[in-house]
Amino acid sequence: MMDNHERISLYSVLIFNFFLLFICRLPSDVVSADPGDAPPLAPALYVFGDSLFDNGNNNLLPTVAKANFFPYGVNFASGPTGRFTNGRTVADFIAEYLGLPYPPPYLGLRYSPFVSDLGMNYASGSCGILHETGKFIGKCLSIGEQIALFETTIMSQLRTYHTSSSDSWSSYMAQSIFIISIGSNDYINNYLQPIPGLRRNYSPQSFASLLVNHLALHLQRLYELGARKVVMFEIGPIGCIPSMMRAAGRRGGCVEETNRLALMFNNRLDDMLKTLGSNLPGSNFILGRVHEFAYNALKYPTKYGIEDASNPCCTTLGNGTTGCIPAVSPCGNPDTHYFWDGYHLTEAVYKLVGDRCLYDSSICFPKSVKQLVVAG
């Protein structure tokens, strides 16, 4: 049963989000990085996940989880696109390094005759590993639905670009990079919600195992479809995001019991990726070890050029319990903030994570993205 505080907290977020649904502007045009004249380091970049990677798919879904309005995108070249931050995401920084355009949101191109064989983004805010996660907010794409759309893409459209031989198609898929960040919402928008269901049926340990076992099946499906170079990111310290701290009545300290839930998942994820790598020939499953790195940046922000590691840069309801209030100017120095809104990070923090994953094999383990590109 929900107590009054829980009801008020959940209902206030839902009411605010329904308000956003009616004022959000139409989806932006597809935005791409300028790859320059040099040949790309990989044939394509395919992106899966949640709002950490979503760059416009939720714009075209009946959901309140949208970010296609100011001040989102205030530091992005073309303004708001559906990215849940002020600028670029980790996926964007990886695309720039590879010399590829930003992978366009799949839903923005599904009715278009043009389909890029340089990659696609299937990520969807508020969703997760489990099909039901986040669906109380509105329609979103779970990881299983995203992979099904990827299969549709390659089977019905992308093969036309690689008809010369099966070898060229296999090589294209094997050398492309696949990045995934998902799982946070299975806690934030599912297990930790004050609604009947999973918490009554699963212990923290069994729920973490449930998530990882489901994820393993989806990653194996990606492998069956041709993916060989896969980067799967850990769940970050979700107990430190403003919305979680405010809900727990804290102003300066992380909710460590929530962080421990994330660590239970991450530990099982590490073992699962090692098992897949051993059992699937030719595969490279890379673990993005972002939890500890992100936690250290929260505890020692000045070491990373961050001045405020507690408060959102944009204006939110409840001093950090929601997304950005539309049309309200954010702080003047987002590069010195860790958090953009009540849930998401600033471009500055995404750049820190992206750079470490690109070049540091202790963060993206056992190979950095740079090493993964040249791997056989």
Side-chain angles (χ1 to χ4, degrees):
M1 295 292 291
M2 288 184 282
D3 60 29
N4 288 336
H5 173 75
E6 289 172 329
R7 287 193 183 95
I8 292 170
S9 175
L10 179 59
Y11 292 163
S12 65
V13 171
L14 288 176
I15 291 170
F16 172 73
N17 284 337
F18 274 111
F19 167 71
L20 293 184
L21 180 63
F22 291 103
I23 66 169
C24 290
R25 67 182 184 86
L26 293 174
S28 301
D29 292 334
V30 174
V31 179
S32 296
D34 180 5
D37 296 327
L41 300 178
L45 174 65
Y46 289 97
V47 181
F48 304 83
D50 52 30
S51 58
L52 298 181
F53 281 177
D54 188 351
N55 68 346
N57 284 306
N58 274 26
N59 294 353
L60 295 158
L61 293 173
T63 177
V64 297
K66 295 180 187 288
N68 56 342
F69 57 90
F70 179 84
Y72 290 102
V74 66
N75 301 116
F76 197 75
S78 63
T81 61
R83 289 166 170 81
F84 289 76
T85 183
N86 60 304
R88 292 164 291 178
T89 68
V90 171
D92 295 324
F93 288 112
I94 291 177
E96 290 177 2
Y97 170 79
L98 295 174
L100 291 167
Y102 300 146
Y106 171 83
L107 294 183
L109 295 179
R110 59 179 170 172
Y111 300 122
S112 170
F114 168 78
V115 177
S116 172
D117 65 344
L118 299 176
M120 199 75 72
N121 187 314
Y122 302 88
S124 178
S126 80
C127 251
I129 297 167
L130 301 181
H131 178 77
E132 63 269 25
T133 290
K135 297 298 173 70
F136 71 94
I137 295 174
K139 172 66 177 174
C140 61
L141 305 173
S142 67
I143 187 64
E145 292 170 304
Q146 293 176 36
I147 293 173
L149 293 175
F150 169 70
E151 182 173 7
T152 298
T153 301
I154 62 173
M155 294 304 174
S156 65
Q157 295 164 309
L158 286 184
R159 274 192 186 274
T160 61
Y161 293 90
H162 302 273
T163 56
S164 58
S165 72
S166 60
D167 288 342
S168 67
W169 172 253
S170 298
S171 177
Y172 165 81
M173 292 296 291
Q175 295 304 316
S176 293
I177 306 296
F178 295 74
I179 61 173
I180 308 167
S181 179
I182 204 155
S184 296
N185 288 324
D186 292 289
Y187 290 98
I188 297 171
N189 288 336
N190 195 333
Y191 193 71
L192 295 174
Q193 282 296 325
I195 52 179
L198 289 172
R199 291 186 75 175
R200 186 162 42 192
N201 299 324
Y202 291 92
S203 68
Q205 294 81 3
S206 61
F207 184 67
S209 296
L210 174 74
L211 293 180
V212 170
N213 290 341
H214 274 69
L215 180 61
L217 296 176
H218 294 308
L219 294 181
Q220 184 162 336
R221 182 56 184 152
L222 267 184
Y223 175 86
E224 292 167 355
L225 292 170
R228 295 295 181 268
K229 298 182 177 183
V230 180
V231 181
M232 175 70 211
F233 288 91
E234 291 179 335
I235 295 177
I238 55 176
C240 300
I241 62 178
S243 60
M244 297 299 293
M245 291 194 295
R246 296 338 186 232
R250 303 181 189 181
R251 293 290 175 181
C254 298
V255 185
E256 296 299 350
E257 53 267 38
T258 301
N259 285 337
R260 284 192 287 273
L261 295 177
L263 289 172
M264 290 180 194
F265 173 89
N266 293 339
N267 291 336
R268 288 164 174 78
L269 175 64
D270 188 9
D271 292 339
M272 181 266 283
L273 292 180
K274 290 175 181 175
T275 299
L276 286 181
S278 298
N279 294 338
L280 300 177
S283 65
N284 283 277
F285 286 98
I286 307 302
L287 176 64
R289 294 173 162 177
V290 296
H291 186 100
E292 184 177 359
F293 174 72
Y295 189 82
N296 285 338
L298 282 162
K299 292 299 182 182
Y300 309 102
T302 56
K303 179 180 176 182
Y304 300 91
I306 304 296
E307 297 176 5
D308 189 328
S310 301
N311 302 297
C313 176
C314 75
T315 302
T316 69
L317 293 180
N319 192 28
T321 59
T322 67
C324 300
I325 296 177
V328 177
S329 294
C331 69
N333 54 344
D335 284 350
T336 65
H337 275 251
Y338 193 102
F339 294 105
W340 172 247
D341 62 14
Y343 297 90
H344 305 101
L345 314 179
T346 60
E347 178 187 76
V349 177
Y350 286 135
K351 187 176 190 308
L352 287 171
V353 173
D355 285 348
R356 294 301 176 97
C357 188
L358 286 170
Y359 303 108
D360 188 345
S361 60
S362 69
I363 298 296
C364 276
F365 178 85
K367 293 183 178 80
S368 68
V369 171
K370 180 179 180 181
Q371 293 169 330
L372 183 63
V373 165
V374 299

